[in-house]
Amino acid sequence: MEKNKVLITGGCGFIGSQVVSMLANSSYKLFILDDLSTGKKENIPLDRADLIVCDIRSEEAYEYIKVLQPNYVIHLAAQIDVQTSIHEQQHDADINIMGTLNVIQACKSLPNFKKFVFASTAAVYGNNTDLPLTERSATLPTSPYGQSKLVGEQYLALVHELYQLPYAALRFANVYGEKKYAAKDVITSFWRKLIEEESPVIFGTGDQTRDFIYVEDIASALIEAMTIFQSGIYNISTNEQTSINHVLAIMNELLGKNVPVKRLPKRPGDIQDSCLSNEKFVKHTSWLPEQTIQTGLAKTIVGKNNQLKVGVK
Ligand SMILES: NC(=O)c1ccc[n+]([C@@H]2O[C@H](COP(=O)([O-])OP(=O)(O)OC[C@H]3O[C@@H](n4cnc5c(N)ncnc54)[C@H](O)[C@@H]3O)[C@@H](O)[C@H]2O)c1
């Protein structure tokens, strides 16, 4: 029997490479479509996956998918930076809306197509403070990035309605893990400052909370979503709120540091608290997040320290 084919767009990136590693020992045939704009070939086992380097917006990508006829698509390729989305709205919409639509269109009438898994984000909820946020909570994006991801979800719902394309759109909480040295997320920036014995910066009191989820738990949710029965939207989170002060305290302890904090005023637009309910996804699958903030941060620090040894920037 022919093996099922899985196409992972953005498979050379932070989350995509975790998905590829987790699927490397499975019976699926793996294909990656990535323009390498932020991802790297070195992130993936090239003996286990075929890589085509191209842009999701291109005719080439559309034709490639049509000919390949994947059974599953995990669509991760995107413009992911919120600040870039604010300063280059057209560019963000071009990749996240038009690029996503190109991939959806290529999949919509494929034979034996089983699931389109889409990486969405908690940014679609914007400043909604009605915690914990469920999939029925109001979507109020406050950035073009959140808006473009919401439009991607809506196109999927529409194509599902019109052509019965099976899909799962996963709204990720705050993902952390062994991101690149230069990544801008709070955990990478704390780690960088601490290892350089410089003061980590906290905006506001540090009492603000986030629902931090470790990248391996996100990758396993994406894989689990391939076989979810019901098409629709699912939050992927830990259901836990952790304050920024607590994250820093854990990291200081793990790294054996105690560098004084630099406190700056709260940034305009920063939300106070965030927490997503994962109840729906947990009910429909056998998935549960495995890492607590302590164990996830410990793995992150080991990974980042190793990256530093081999000179990753
Ligand atoms: N990292 C997070 O905290 C987070 C949170 C919520 C949602 N997401 C979503 O998860 C997905 C993966 O994010 P990530 O953190 O791994 O980002 P990443 O930048 O590490 O990975 C994105 C990958 O897509 C590729 N890519 C970008 N534009 C492309 C294009 N036009 N054509 C083809 N390939 C392209 C990049 O080269 C890269 O390999 C994204 O869709 C992102 O919006 C991420």
Side-chain angles (χ1 to χ4, degrees):
M1 210 170 72
E2 205 172 295
K3 287 181 176 178
N4 276 310
K5 297 175 194 167
V6 185
L7 173 67
I8 301 137
T9 73
C12 296
F14 167 55
I15 295 172
S17 56
Q18 288 285 342
V19 174
V20 175
S21 307
M22 278 190 192
L23 287 176
N25 295 322
S26 72
S27 58
Y28 293 118
K29 252 179 114 30
L30 306 182
F31 300 85
I32 297 172
L33 189 156
D34 198 303
D35 70 353
L36 303 180
S37 50
T38 58
K40 285 203 166 68
K41 265 190 206 172
E42 302 82 83
N43 290 348
I44 52 154
L46 282 168
D47 55 330
R48 262 306 274 126
D50 283 0
L51 169 67
I52 174 169
V53 180
C54 81
D55 193 310
I56 51 166
R57 293 167 289 181
S58 64
E59 186 65 27
E60 188 187 359
Y62 181 88
E63 287 304 329
Y64 173 78
I65 297 170
K66 281 277 185 211
V67 172
L68 178 69
Q69 300 192 347
N71 304 96
Y72 301 92
V73 167
I74 300 180
H75 178 46
L76 303 166
Q79 187 303 109
I80 68 155
D81 187 57
V82 171
Q83 289 309 314
T84 303
S85 82
I86 292 168
H87 298 118
E88 297 172 45
Q89 295 192 21
Q90 203 94 17
H91 174 67
D92 176 82
D94 202 26
I95 297 175
N96 292 359
I97 300 176
M98 298 315 289
T100 295
L101 190 55
N102 197 34
V103 179
I104 296 173
Q105 291 296 321
C107 294
K108 81 173 185 230
S109 309
L110 292 179
N112 294 321
F113 189 77
K114 295 184 180 164
K115 194 64 55 64
F116 192 110
V117 182
F118 175 55
S120 188
T121 167
V124 300
Y125 296 115
N127 279 339
N128 188 332
T129 52
D130 191 12
L131 305 186
L133 295 160
T134 75
E135 294 79 357
R136 287 184 307 281
S137 301
T139 47
L140 310 159
T142 49
S143 66
Y145 170 70
Q147 181 64 52
S148 64
K149 286 285 179 176
L150 185 59
V151 174
E153 288 183 4
Q154 290 168 339
Y155 265 114
L156 274 172
L158 189 64
V159 175
H160 172 65
E161 197 61 32
L162 295 175
Y163 304 95
Q164 292 72 53
L165 181 94
Y167 81 99
L170 308 190
R171 292 177 176 165
F172 305 157
N174 282 65
V175 188
Y176 69 98
E178 300 84 304
K179 286 190 196 177
K180 299 186 290 286
Y181 185 85
K184 294 175 194 159
D185 65 290
V186 64
I187 288 171
T188 304
S189 79
F190 281 171
W191 170 80
R192 199 166 43 232
K193 289 289 185 191
L194 292 176
I195 57 158
E196 288 169 355
E197 301 281 344
E198 287 177 19
S199 292
V201 176
I202 288 186
F203 297 96
T205 60
D207 292 334
Q208 60 271 38
T209 63
R210 296 292 178 268
D211 185 336
F212 289 105
I213 180 154
Y214 186 60
V215 63
E216 282 176 14
D217 285 326
I218 288 289
S220 64
L222 285 160
I223 293 166
E224 193 79 34
M226 289 165 59
T227 50
I228 206 163
F229 180 70
Q230 194 179 307
S231 286
I233 291 165
Y234 297 89
N235 286 340
I236 308 297
S237 66
T238 61
N239 279 354
E240 302 275 340
Q241 283 175 258
T242 306
S243 74
I244 302 298
N245 286 335
H246 190 48
V247 167
L248 184 58
I250 299 171
M251 292 183 75
N252 262 315
E253 198 182 321
L254 287 168
L255 284 161
K257 306 272 182 190
N258 194 11
V259 190
V261 177
K262 181 175 174 186
R263 292 197 186 267
L264 292 178
K266 190 177 170 200
R267 290 177 298 189
D270 274 0
I271 54 171
Q272 177 59 31
D273 296 305
S274 175
C275 186
L276 270 60
S277 163
N278 61 20
E279 203 179 316
K280 184 178 170 193
F281 194 69
V282 169
K283 200 170 121 198
H284 283 82
T285 64
S286 55
W287 178 88
L288 274 176
E290 284 187 3
Q291 302 303 328
T292 63
I293 188 74
Q294 268 88 1
T295 58
L297 282 176
K299 281 164 86 83
T300 300
I301 284 173
V302 169
K304 282 186 182 297
N305 290 349
N306 286 340
Q307 284 180 357
L308 198 61
K309 277 185 213 148
V310 295
V312 173
K313 294 282 172 209

